[in-house]
Amino acid sequence: MAENDNVANNHGGFYTRVFGDTEFVVPARYNGLTPRGLGAQGTVCAAYDTVTQQNVAIKKLSRPFQNVTHAKRAYREFKLMKLVNHKNIIGLLNAFTPQRSLEEFQDVYLVMELMDANLCQVIQMDLDHERMSYLLYQMLCGIKHLHSAGIIHRDLKPSNIVVKSDCTLKILDFGLARTAGTTFMMTPYVVTRYYRAPEVILGMGYKENVDIWSVGCIMGEMIRGGVLFPGTDHIDQWNKIIEQLGTPSQDFMMRLQPTVRNYVENRPRYPGFAFDRLFPDVLFPSDSSEHNRLKASQARDLLSRMLVIDPERRISVDEALLHPYINVWYDEGEVNAPAPGPYDHSVDEREHTVEQWKELIYQEVMEYEHSHNPSSPRATQQQAVPQQIPDEEPPQPNRR
Ligand code: AMP
């Protein structure tokens, strides 16, 4: 992204910087804005916070209420980021909008801890067993924490996991809402589905170990150095899965919806490959000299328990945390950190118009600004504006 000259129109302590076609309007406390990444929701910049004297990441959500899908996601992410507090889940340090009224409201900025790279970049590297198992351990701790709040992610992928050079790891997002998939997402951004579990691809019910599949895909990719199941669509992806792991049992087929079952049963039958063929010894780093359980055979054993098509036969998060390849890092305080307050799932089911979402999101940002910077004149000035929209609002006929 090319950086244009600084546009220093200081208004209310905010200043503007332009990167390509993205404008960042941030409080003066944040210095040295540098573009870092582009995601489905917006652009991320690194910056230095002169107040807390730490490096931060600032994510701009451009018009998060532009359509109901974006709005619901932005609202949910914001609510969850405020709720969750775990070292392996990204934490919210600040949130603001440069606009001064609901009428002018356009953008939300979320300030988070700054990490060094996302996992896509790390997967390319030759990781030793220590690093690989430590990264997996932290993913599992973060996932377990989300589960303890009733949040089942279902869409974990390398681009939404960030790491620091000291090998610490944080999950960036909260995955699919319970009702996800019912709304059509109009975005030029290509959604990565390679890490989605068979039960998500095939539209089945799911439980917590749906997230273990994604961890298995990520681990397999770290070892193989390439995506395990790179399907162009769900059908192609299902083919890639069964070609390697084999056609699932009749018992699994019986749990599919009739139309899906008809399709799945009529695919050619594949015996699948043994795990030492899928992941031969040559792909693994050399065995650890420090931890005798960190070796290829244990890594492969864990993979073979995570990459299981049938969730009834797949390892659980708790079992994975106790696996010899993972439990070398086991720390009670990290694995069983206190659960966050329960997440109000009615958010996932809520239906609002774009205008109503705009007001709800604005209200959340104002509430945050007020509770975190109560002395700020902006916070007090903006507090009175929004009205609470009742949860029971009936669905609107012409929702976009
Ligand atoms: P997102 O919009 O959350 O999907 O993030 C898009 C990309 O921005 C990620 O894949 C990361 O490369 C980068 N990124 C997001 N948040 C952070 C952060 N807190 N620290 C460092 N990089 C980040």
Side-chain angles (χ1 to χ4, degrees):
M1 206 185 303
E3 183 183 335
N4 290 353
D5 285 335
N6 189 1
V7 188
N9 62 335
N10 208 312
H11 75 83
F14 281 73
Y15 72 100
T16 306
R17 296 212 64 181
V18 183
F19 304 105
D21 48 17
T22 304
E23 230 182 43
F24 261 68
V25 186
V26 303
R29 68 186 270 185
Y30 300 111
N31 281 349
L33 256 60
T34 320
R36 262 303 173 86
L38 187 63
Q41 291 175 292
T43 310
V44 178
C45 271
Y48 179 71
D49 182 352
T50 51
V51 173
T52 59
Q53 305 196 337
Q54 72 182 120
N55 291 319
V56 294
I58 306 179
K59 177 151 107 176
K60 176 184 179 183
L61 310 179
S62 298
R63 292 178 51 82
F65 47 82
Q66 60 188 276
N67 61 44
V68 283
T69 314
H70 266 84
K72 203 170 187 171
R73 185 175 171 100
Y75 184 77
R76 181 172 180 270
E77 296 271 329
F78 190 33
K79 279 256 178 210
L80 286 170
M81 259 186 148
K82 289 201 281 186
L83 185 75
V84 171
N85 176 23
H86 186 274
K87 66 205 285 192
N88 300 124
I89 309 285
I90 202 79
L92 190 63
L93 300 175
N94 196 6
F96 59 84
T97 172
Q99 286 90 39
R100 280 173 258 197
S101 66
L102 175 61
E103 291 65 42
E104 292 171 37
F105 181 47
Q106 294 279 335
D107 310 309
V108 176
Y109 293 79
L110 304 176
V111 183
M112 307 161 279
E113 302 136 89
L114 181 68
M115 303 292 280
D116 293 324
N118 69 29
L119 213 58
C120 305
Q121 297 153 289
V122 175
I123 282 178
Q124 306 303 318
M125 296 158 48
D126 280 329
L127 295 167
D128 57 23
H129 283 297
E130 262 85 8
R131 287 187 176 79
M132 191 153 41
S133 69
Y134 187 50
L135 291 172
L136 294 166
Y137 164 75
Q138 295 175 86
M139 274 177 231
L140 291 165
C141 288
I143 290 168
K144 184 169 159 98
H145 189 67
L146 292 182
H147 292 173
S148 73
I151 303 156
I152 302 184
H153 195 295
R154 291 186 292 148
D155 199 26
L156 282 163
K157 50 187 143 193
S159 59
N160 286 341
I161 298 175
V162 278
V163 292
K164 265 194 183 165
S165 54
D166 63 2
C167 214
T168 51
L169 172 149
K170 290 179 198 285
I171 297 171
L172 274 183
D173 74 327
F174 302 91
L176 305 176
R178 276 189 192 173
T179 53
T182 55
T183 35
F184 177 66
M185 179 88 149
M186 269 285 280
T187 167
Y189 180 87
V190 181
V191 180
T192 309
R193 302 173 200 272
Y194 306 151
Y195 306 88
R196 292 196 181 165
E199 53 270 42
V200 176
I201 296 176
L202 301 176
M204 305 165 80
Y206 58 90
K207 55 181 179 176
E208 280 83 352
N209 72 351
V210 64
D211 291 330
I212 285 286
W213 176 271
S214 312
V215 177
C217 291
I218 293 171
M219 180 179 183
E221 189 170 331
M222 286 171 167
I223 293 160
R224 201 182 274 177
V227 177
L228 298 190
F229 311 119
T232 46
D233 51 49
H234 274 171
I235 289 178
D236 188 35
Q237 199 169 332
W238 178 247
N239 287 339
K240 297 258 167 23
I241 293 172
I242 56 175
E243 278 163 22
Q244 295 178 62
L245 301 180
T247 304
S249 68
Q250 197 52 35
D251 177 43
F252 176 85
M253 305 286 192
M254 298 300 286
R255 280 179 264 134
L256 294 168
Q257 299 162 27
T259 45
V260 181
R261 182 173 153 198
N262 189 36
Y263 171 79
V264 169
E265 284 192 325
N266 284 307
R267 302 299 313 145
R269 304 216 144 246
Y270 294 98
F273 295 91
F275 270 76
D276 55 2
R277 290 280 306 284
L278 290 173
F279 302 98
D281 278 341
V282 290
L283 295 181
F284 288 85
S286 49
D287 293 352
S288 163
S289 48
E290 241 173 272
H291 298 96
N292 64 1
R293 286 172 294 169
L294 297 186
K295 52 189 179 195
S297 58
Q298 290 289 10
R300 193 186 290 119
D301 181 80
L302 176 60
L303 262 179
S304 71
R305 294 169 196 273
M306 297 201 291
L307 291 175
V308 174
I309 293 178
D310 186 347
E312 296 304 320
R313 298 172 190 210
R314 191 184 307 144
I315 198 171
S316 69
V317 175
D318 287 328
E319 286 162 347
L321 279 160
L322 292 174
H323 189 279
Y325 194 71
I326 299 296
N327 81 347
V328 287
W329 310 107
Y330 199 97
D331 177 314
E332 186 59 27
E334 293 164 351
V335 174
N336 287 315
Y343 168 56
D344 174 10
H345 281 283
S346 67
V347 170
D348 292 7
E349 271 96 51
R350 275 192 206 175
E351 300 286 3
H352 292 301
T353 60
V354 163
E355 276 309 308
Q356 289 170 330
W357 277 118
K358 179 176 176 178
E359 193 164 335
L360 280 167
I361 295 171
Y362 187 69
Q363 187 178 348
E364 283 297 321
V365 180
M366 288 306 105
E367 253 175 51
Y368 188 93
E369 285 195 2
H370 189 68
S371 59
H372 288 75
N373 314 292
S375 56
S376 134
R378 277 173 51 79
T380 32
Q381 166 201 334
Q382 290 167 343
Q383 254 304 294
V385 181
Q387 294 287 311
Q388 176 80 45
I389 295 170
D391 287 358
E392 291 74 28
E393 192 72 29
Q396 301 295 312
N398 57 349
R399 220 175 297 121
R400 271 186 288 145

